[in-house]
Amino acid sequence: MTLRGRTAPSRVLFGPHVTNLGSRRSVSPRHVAYYARRAVGGAGVIVTETASVHESDWPYERAPLAADCADGWASVVRACRPALVLAGLGHAGAQGSSAYGQQALWAPSRVADVASREVPTEMEQPEIVALVAGFAAAAAWAVDAGCDGVEVDAGQHSLLRQFLSGLTNHRTDAYSDRDRLLREVLAAVRTAIGDAHVLGLRLCCDELAPWAGITPDSAAATLAGCGEADYVVPVRGSGLSVSATRPDLHTPPGFNRALCGTVGAAPGLGAEGGTPPIRAGRSSDDLQGRRSGLGRRVAVVLQGSVVSPEDARAALDDGVCDLVEMTRAQIAAPDLVAHVRAGTPERIRPCTLSNQRSAVRDPRNPIVSDEAEPDAGHETDPVPPPAGPPRDVLVVGGGAAGLEAARVLATAGHGVRLVEQADVLGGALLLAAAVHGRARMGLLVPWWTAELARLGVAVETGVRVTADDLDAAGPHVVLATGSRPGPLPYDTDGPVLAAAEFEAGVLAGAGLPPGPVLVHDPLGDWTGVGIAEQLAAGGRETVLVTPDQVAGTQLAITGDLAPANARLDRAGVVRELRSRLVHVRDGRAVLAHVWTGERRTVACAAVVDCGHRLPEDALWRARPHLPRAGDCVAPRTVHEAVLEGRRAAVEAVRGRGGPGERLRARPC
């Protein structure tokens, strides 16, 4: 793909996203290693984390500031060749935070942000001039550092989007022409970078608020005046729909395909006059003569949970787009493009789209990573391979931790035997994938299974291991034996199923007795919400009991909190908030308010308990010198289980005869 005479080695774009890899407000060596890993894997265009173009913008603690990024950008460019490197530039405006910069937020109008509820200041002409100058200066610094160009952010978290939208722009001056500021910024940036560098535009084309917000039709009109751009990335979402830009696994992959096609049909983009988007072997420069209202054809990038090579190829072949953004897919599988080129696409690690590790715009400053690839974001401090002379290693347990331990051991050349008590592999992950809306989590199980088969791992299912078996196996053992239900904090005379047992029953075709079902959810994660949805979808009267003020409170981390509660509403699930379950007797459940202790009753024929689980650690207690991983240590997410599986693999080949020294925890 050629843009402004610069050739990208593939049509796959690694898009800008929050990483929390920064050192203060600069691009750090951790950024460099992170981007370089995707470039080595075949990414064609890499857009760095959006840098604030003016000091008034400090949207999160480790947000890059363009004035501090020149050296970092230069290092990224050197590390990522032959990929094209573009600097992401933007300003969050009212969607930022005043907590770090201690300054009033800038916005087109005094409209309180729907998330933070903070009221911004309305920008006057001096601030607007400073903003435009800030974009131009930042762009000049980027190309002086060697970047192939820049990408201007007018997407979901951006001041430029706020000027474009009737939701947030209530001005009566010249900027009541909502496109004006964007045109001024693009013109200033083009002047700053010249004609030899790439100018991309990330543009919100649907705020999902048609009563006043940006719509695909209004976005097409905006694009008609944006002739400076070489490519456009249509995205969706606004302050009212923060999760819409990169939603979790409840939203089907490729959701922006229709939007991309609509925008691509605008003059100067997409299939104008029957001209399809750029196909293999053709460049944007080849189509310079096909002129329109933009004066030059603009390439279109498909964004929106594009995670499979098949979907990406289909979008290109069908003329929907010229490039595909596969950001989360390449976080999970840095070698995605390389595997496609090598003819081994089956080896690409699936992207779960869970957002549990990739959505990190969070005051806790978590490092960007992936559920099943914990070295993502930690390229400068990866878990070392289990090196050393070939060993015969026994892995006990076929859940996420055991499967990953077996995979890395076999990859390092060790002989591996994996035994699993159940008849199938997957452990708790298989049950988690059975929960309503969580099916993508299950894609990891067949991937691991295929990898173990490719690597020659001996897999045995339906085998129960004893302590004597561990002794017979020799010193090289990994224990990944999972978990068991914890004690119930309430009395009941009716049927109670732990969440895992309920999902096992679902997979086996078993059901619950007739009547209302109470879902006990003291954790507030995806489990209780998903099971309540699942029961309601099956026509069961369902009550969700939680001590929190909102159901699924932990889903705020993944962006699914509001969508999940909307789904519960639509499904007719009754939510008993700020409540704890006291006891169940004679078909009635007694609940107590967690603040006042006031009691009330609800009908209940059965309970599905989504409470705490305990380690299944009997084997480890019998042989505590052996390394263990996953739920048999403590309740674990997939990410934690995979990380521990890798660490336990390293310890196993050491053949420790005592407690020894565990791998040190790496800094976050």
Side-chain angles (χ1 to χ4, degrees), residues 46-90:
I46 292 174
V47 185
T48 62
E49 185 167 0
T50 300
S52 300
V53 300
H54 191 272
E55 62 182 6
S56 61
D57 185 40
W58 196 338
Y60 50 97
E61 187 174 350
R62 299 182 187 176
L65 178 66
D68 295 344
C69 288
D71 290 344
W73 284 331
S75 296
V76 172
V77 171
R78 288 192 297 270
C80 290
R81 291 298 186 218
L84 300 186
V85 175
L86 308 181
L89 302 178

Side-chain angles (χ1 to χ4, degrees), residues 252-576:
F255 61 85
N256 263 348
R257 183 177 165 124
L259 177 63
C260 192
T262 299
V263 173
L269 293 93
E272 195 240 337
T275 302
I278 304 160
R279 303 292 184 87
R282 301 167 69 190
S283 74
S284 60
D285 295 338
D286 294 334
L287 302 178
Q288 291 282 338
R290 303 184 187 277
R291 299 189 176 275
S292 68
L294 287 173
R296 182 176 47 79
R297 189 185 179 284
V298 177
V300 178
V301 182
L302 173 61
Q303 181 273 347
S305 300
V306 183
V307 290
S308 78
E310 295 78 15
D311 289 348
R313 189 188 304 277
L316 291 166
D317 288 347
D318 293 346
V320 173
C321 61
D322 306 300
L323 299 98
V324 285
E325 179 177 322
M326 303 183 75
T327 303
R328 284 180 288 179
Q330 291 177 97
I331 297 174
D335 292 320
L336 185 149
V337 176
H339 277 308
V340 173
R341 286 178 169 158
T344 55
E346 71 281 357
R347 293 198 56 202
I348 297 170
R349 182 183 291 103
C351 176
T352 65
L353 293 174
S354 74
N355 279 353
Q356 287 180 268
R357 290 287 169 167
S358 59
V360 296
R361 197 181 183 110
D362 185 315
R364 299 171 305 162
N365 293 330
I367 297 299
V368 69
S369 195
D370 176 73
E371 280 287 275
E373 180 42 282
D375 281 348
H378 293 274
E379 287 75 12
T380 59
D381 189 23
V383 177
R391 309 287 192 185
D392 290 328
V393 185
L394 172 66
V395 177
V396 183
L403 290 167
E404 181 64 7
R407 187 189 71 84
V408 299
L409 284 162
T411 300
H414 301 287
V416 184
R417 174 180 171 229
L418 182 146
V419 296
E420 163 58 39
Q421 177 177 297
D423 293 331
V424 294
L425 298 176
L429 181 57
L430 199 65
L431 303 176
V435 175
H436 188 78
R438 308 286 297 184
R440 284 200 64 86
M441 299 298 294
L443 296 178
L444 290 166
V445 176
W447 176 78
W448 265 311
T449 302
E451 282 291 285
L452 297 192
R454 181 183 67 82
L455 293 165
V457 173
V459 175
E460 301 173 24
T461 57
V463 176
R464 182 181 292 275
V465 174
T466 67
D468 291 340
D469 295 328
L470 299 181
D471 296 337
H476 309 293
V477 176
V478 173
L479 297 178
T481 49
S483 65
R484 57 186 172 84
L488 299 178
Y490 50 86
D491 298 323
T492 177
D493 62 4
V496 177
L497 284 179
E501 283 68 29
F502 169 74
E503 293 301 344
V506 170
L507 292 174
L512 292 168
V517 180
L518 186 148
V519 178
H520 177 239
D521 181 21
L523 301 184
D525 62 5
W526 50 267
T527 311
V529 169
I531 287 178
E533 288 184 75
Q534 193 167 10
L535 288 163
R540 301 299 295 266
E541 183 181 342
T542 306
V543 177
L544 176 66
V545 177
T546 174
D548 299 315
Q549 297 187 65
V550 62
T553 183
Q554 293 189 47
L555 297 178
I557 298 169
T558 66
D560 191 44
L561 180 60
N565 277 271
R567 294 195 303 270
L568 292 174
D569 256 352
R570 290 193 295 269
V573 174
V574 176
R575 282 159 288 175
E576 293 288 351

Side-chain angles (χ1 to χ4, degrees), residues 169-268:
N169 184 347
H170 300 167
R171 300 176 76 100
T172 58
D173 63 1
Y175 292 94
S176 62
D177 173 2
R178 295 174 184 148
D179 298 346
R180 176 171 176 163
L181 180 59
L182 178 60
R183 293 195 302 267
E184 291 178 354
V185 165
L186 293 176
V189 169
R190 174 55 72 195
T191 298
I193 66 175
D195 292 333
H197 292 90
V198 179
L199 172 50
L201 173 63
R202 184 164 297 262
L203 181 68
C204 178
C205 294
D206 190 354
E207 289 189 293
L208 305 176
W211 59 90
I214 299 166
T215 65
D217 288 342
S218 69
T222 296
L223 283 167
C226 295
E228 304 293 348
D230 296 300
Y231 72 79
V232 62
V233 187
V235 300
R236 69 178 194 184
S238 72
L240 292 169
S241 50
V242 171
S243 63
T245 303
R246 286 192 174 95
D248 78 350
L249 71 176
H250 288 87
T251 300
F255 61 85
N256 263 348
R257 183 177 165 124
L259 177 63
C260 192
T262 299
V263 173

